[in-house]
Amino acid sequence: MRGRIAAWCMSALLLAAVPALAQTPAPKLPVPANEDCQACHGDPSATRANGAPVVVDTERFAKSAHGPLSCVDCHSDLAAGVEFPHPDKLAKVKCATCHEQSVEQYEHGIHADARHKDPNSRAATCVDCHGGSAHGILPSSDPESATNKLKVARTCAKCHGNKAPVNLSGGRNGAVAALFHDSIHGQALAKKGLVVAPTCSDCHGNHAIVPKRLPDSPVSPRNVPVTCGKCHEGIRHEFAGGIHGAKLAGGNLSAPNCASCHSAHGIARTDTDDWQLHAVEQCGTCHKESLKTYRDTFHGQVTALGFTPVAKCVDCHGAHEVLPRQDGRSAVAEANLIKTCGQCHEGATANFVAYNPHANKHDKSRLPLLYYSARFMEGLLVFVFGFFGVHTMLWFSRGRTARVPHVPPPAKHPALRAVEKPAPRKREVTGD
């Protein structure tokens, strides 16, 4: 009996020991150091199974912003240790591990949205903007960094250039890099190296780049004055005090903003003839009737011929703080007309400024005298052409019915015809 009890006890102890033996931790695998990784990835001939190279430039990585890090800080699935060779495909590197806020902003942007909708999208990722190489990312303070102030436009042009432009929402062409490069901002950056000049990220943001149709976008119509005002603060205040700024702030997104007149990317100098002539047409996109009546005047005719030393829209109404005529501060308020017109017409008088630069002969309610004068002149014109037209037709008809019969010329005297008749020519005979 005692023997059986002892056997049972031994069996129970063995059964209890089995799980404990099963839970014995496996030998810990070594965590690879950077030197271990370089043993393979420092070899230029090393490739993946598909033939893609896996070489990492050691020197370039050491100079990068991530140079002080270990390989396993980004390739975290190797941080628990691994047997070499490690699996051909590692887990995707998560930049958010260190750059949580930047990645969160990126996820709310148009680029991440495009990639979520289509994994094969060309929309930019972290690496695309930060140098194109995960192991060579430089801090933006480095002049060679793709995100350096003087290099950002070139980086964005990789997708928004003219060679292979991306399409924006609504089928709009995203090739805006050339426009920006030729603009006053682009030239200040590219030719003069002015870091105070704005580049793409100054207007669109760094990571949270959202389309302008969203109200929180810095380039939405309502926010454009604030965005431009970061540099052009004085102009921002002037614009806000004008009728355009007031309408825009009031929610009228059709009201002009900075980009409406200056364009978004191809911003040019405003002191050139091309710009000033263009500005007249630009004002006319909203003020069609005013442009039409302006073209009827001497000022409008001269500018239509391509000359600028005459009054244009901004010369009379101002450029940014445009105010309605009823506002006493307006340059075209009745009390200010002598001063405004006197900018070009020295010695202008009250009688001189009574001239209406936007007279409309078709608007009876506004200018009845001009309206009836125009109708009289039109009636007179129709009468004169009609009267003389009928007169000409009647005269022509009378000429045909009263045609004078044809009288043959008198016959000449026979003697005179004989004199006029030429003598026959004699044929010359040769010696043969």
Side-chain angles (χ1 to χ4, degrees):
M1 184 65 181
R2 290 182 179 175
R4 290 183 179 179
I5 293 174
W8 290 346
C9 291
M10 288 298 294
S11 299
L13 289 174
L14 289 174
L15 289 173
V18 168
L21 292 174
Q23 294 177 359
T24 301
K28 193 172 181 180
L29 298 174
V31 177
N34 286 8
E35 292 74 14
D36 299 327
C37 299
Q38 283 299 316
C40 295
H41 293 281
D43 182 2
S45 62
T47 60
R48 297 179 188 275
N50 61 5
V54 294
V55 63
V56 176
D57 188 331
T58 307
E59 185 177 353
R60 186 181 181 188
F61 176 74
K63 293 180 179 178
S64 75
H66 296 152
L69 301 180
S70 299
C71 301
V72 295
D73 290 334
C74 294
H75 299 285
S76 56
D77 46 345
L78 303 180
V82 65
E83 288 186 355
F84 291 106
H86 61 70
D88 189 62
K89 189 171 184 180
L90 300 180
K92 187 175 181 180
V93 172
K94 296 180 179 178
C95 300
T97 304
C98 296
H99 307 282
E100 182 179 4
Q101 184 178 4
S102 298
V103 173
E104 184 179 351
Q105 293 175 347
Y106 171 82
E107 288 296 329
H108 286 87
I110 191 172
H111 294 142
D113 184 58
R115 285 203 165 263
H116 293 326
K117 293 177 180 177
D118 179 9
N120 297 320
S121 170
R122 295 173 52 200
T125 63
C126 306
V127 173
D128 292 330
C129 296
H130 287 275
S133 171
H135 301 98
I137 296 176
L138 298 173
S140 59
S141 57
D142 191 308
E144 297 301 320
S145 171
T147 56
N148 181 269
K149 182 67 178 286
L150 297 177
K151 296 288 182 63
V152 168
R154 187 184 303 175
T155 300
C156 296
K158 291 191 296 183
C159 294
H160 296 280
N162 289 339
K163 292 183 178 179
V166 295
N167 288 325
L168 304 179
S169 59
R172 293 178 294 125
N173 192 334
V176 296
L179 289 174
F180 178 78
H181 181 269
D182 294 338
S183 73
I184 188 172
H185 293 153
Q187 290 294 294
L189 287 166
K191 286 191 174 180
K192 299 183 179 180
L194 294 176
V195 294
V196 294
T199 188
C200 313
S201 56
D202 290 313
C203 299
H204 295 275
N206 292 319
H207 300 102
I209 300 174
V210 295
K212 66 177 184 181
R213 68 175 181 277
L214 299 182
D216 59 342
S217 170
V219 293
S220 71
R222 192 169 182 171
N223 294 334
V224 164
V226 177
T227 301
C228 297
K230 291 188 297 184
C231 297
H232 303 278
E233 186 174 353
I235 301 299
R236 174 192 171 190
H237 290 306
E238 287 184 13
F239 180 78
I243 189 172
H244 293 155
K247 286 183 175 294
L248 197 62
N252 184 356
L253 301 184
S254 299
N257 56 59
C258 313
S260 304
C261 300
H262 294 276
S263 79
H265 300 98
I267 300 172
R269 296 177 60 92
T270 58
D271 56 356
T272 63
D273 288 353
D274 287 344
W275 158 255
Q276 294 182 17
L277 294 174
H278 163 78
V280 172
E281 295 295 334
Q282 191 62 34
C283 295
T285 58
C286 295
H287 304 281
K288 293 183 173 58
E289 188 61 33
S290 296
L291 177 61
K292 184 178 178 181
T293 54
Y294 171 76
R295 289 297 185 207
D296 289 337
T297 66
F298 171 77
H299 295 154
Q301 292 292 315
V302 172
T303 54
L305 293 173
F307 298 97
T308 57
V310 293
K312 300 166 287 296
C313 308
V314 297
D315 296 319
C316 300
H317 296 273
H320 300 106
E321 193 177 15
V322 180
L323 295 168
R325 188 180 182 186
Q326 295 77 15
D327 192 315
R329 298 171 299 163
S330 170
V332 293
E334 187 171 355
N336 299 325
L337 284 178
I338 292 179
K339 179 181 178 183
T340 302
C341 297
Q343 296 175 103
C344 300
H345 304 279
E346 187 178 356
T349 63
N351 188 43
F352 179 84
V353 300
Y355 164 77
N356 191 330
H358 290 285
N360 187 350
K361 63 183 179 182
H362 302 290
D363 190 345
K364 183 171 65 176
S365 60
R366 185 178 177 186
L367 291 169
L369 180 59
L370 178 63
Y371 173 80
Y372 287 113
S373 297
R375 299 291 85 74
F376 172 77
M377 290 302 297
E378 290 173 356
L380 180 61
L381 189 65
V382 171
F383 171 76
V384 170
F385 274 91
F387 176 81
F388 284 103
V390 172
H391 179 270
T392 302
M393 291 179 64
L394 293 175
W395 186 268
F396 179 74
S397 176
R398 180 176 179 277
R400 286 182 61 86
T401 55
R403 178 178 296 173
V404 179
H406 177 70
V407 178
K412 295 183 178 178
H413 193 274
L416 183 59
R417 289 201 300 270
V419 171
E420 294 179 348
K421 185 177 181 180
R425 297 180 60 186
K426 293 182 179 180
R427 185 177 182 183
E428 295 182 0
V429 179
T430 62
D432 297 335

